């Protein structure tokens, strides 16, 4: 076990996080932030390739933007749930509203974070959800 994993307190492989964000700068920032904290993160710019990745790897946590080209994060989570994935999900959006919050909660998101993201809030949430949240059924 490497030092980073040991420092983070994970007994085996670090939690896998699937990021879906269409803004290249935000996507890269999230990827670097999560990998720097010891998570096994992968990032995609659109829902379709991310759904294919999720079908192959069953991530421990999903972070998805609300507005995506050709769809949205709520529809993406609905598709994952229909395929049997039960892991925790975080919706990120620059367009937060009470209505969006209610839709996200109804869809099964554990948390909604507004952009610009506060790094510590995101890391705390992912850490909490991957340690205490419902693990993926395939794990």
């Amino acid at each position: 076990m490497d030092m980073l994993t040991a420092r983070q307190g994970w007994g085996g492989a670090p939690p896998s996080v699937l990021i879906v964000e269409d803004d290249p700068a935000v996507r890269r920032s999230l990827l670097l932030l999560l990998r720097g904290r010891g998570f096994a993160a992968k990032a995609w710019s659109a829902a379709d390739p991310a759904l294919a990745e999720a079908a192959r790897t069953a991530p421990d946590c999903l972070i998805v933007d609300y507005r995506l080209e050709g769809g949205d994060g709520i529809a993406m989570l609905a598709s994952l749930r229909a395929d049997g994935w039960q892991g925790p999900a975080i919706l990120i959006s620059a367009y937060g509203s009470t209505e969006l919050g209610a839709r996200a909660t109804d869809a099964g998101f554990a948390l909604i974070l507004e952009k610009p993201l506060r790094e510590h809030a995101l890391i705390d949430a992912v850490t909490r959800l991957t340690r205490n949240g419902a693990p993926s059924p395939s794990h």
Side-chain angles (χ1 to χ4, degrees), residues 54-77:
R56 282 192 305 275
T57 64
D60 294 310
C61 184
L62 170 70
I63 300 172
V64 62
D65 191 12
Y66 171 62
R67 290 194 176 175
L68 298 169
E69 276 190 39
D72 67 55
I74 292 175
M76 183 178 170
L77 180 61

Side-chain angles (χ1 to χ4, degrees), residues 86-138:
Q86 295 300 315
I90 299 170
L91 184 71
I92 56 176
S93 179
Y95 308 97
S97 68
T98 304
E99 190 262 340
L100 177 60
R103 286 183 56 218
T105 301
D106 289 347
F109 281 93
L111 191 63
I112 301 102
L113 295 176
E114 289 192 27
K115 293 179 183 176
L117 296 172
R118 293 188 335 262
E119 290 183 0
H120 70 278
L122 179 67
I123 293 298
D124 288 350
V126 175
T127 300
R128 180 174 43 85
L129 291 171
T130 56
R131 284 188 180 153
N132 302 323
S136 302
S138 65

Side-chain angles (χ1 to χ4, degrees), residues 1-118:
M1 179 166 46
D2 65 23
M3 294 293 282
L4 190 56
T5 303
R7 191 182 80 228
Q8 294 294 341
W10 293 304
S16 61
V17 180
L18 182 62
I19 303 162
V20 188
E21 166 61 63
D22 58 352
D23 181 305
V26 174
R27 184 173 61 248
R28 180 162 171 75
S29 174
L30 289 172
L31 186 62
L32 292 173
L33 174 67
L34 289 162
R35 284 183 176 171
R37 298 297 176 95
F39 292 95
K42 290 186 179 181
W44 300 95
S45 62
D48 286 345
L51 286 167
E53 174 70 20
R56 282 192 305 275
T57 64
D60 294 310
C61 184
L62 170 70
I63 300 172
V64 62
D65 191 12
Y66 171 62
R67 290 194 176 175
L68 298 169
E69 276 190 39
D72 67 55
I74 292 175
M76 183 178 170
L77 180 61
S79 180
L80 285 170
R81 295 287 192 237
D83 288 341
W85 184 77
Q86 295 300 315
I90 299 170
L91 184 71
I92 56 176
S93 179
Y95 308 97
S97 68
T98 304
E99 190 262 340
L100 177 60
R103 286 183 56 218
T105 301
D106 289 347
F109 281 93
L111 191 63
I112 301 102
L113 295 176
E114 289 192 27
K115 293 179 183 176
L117 296 172
R118 293 188 335 262

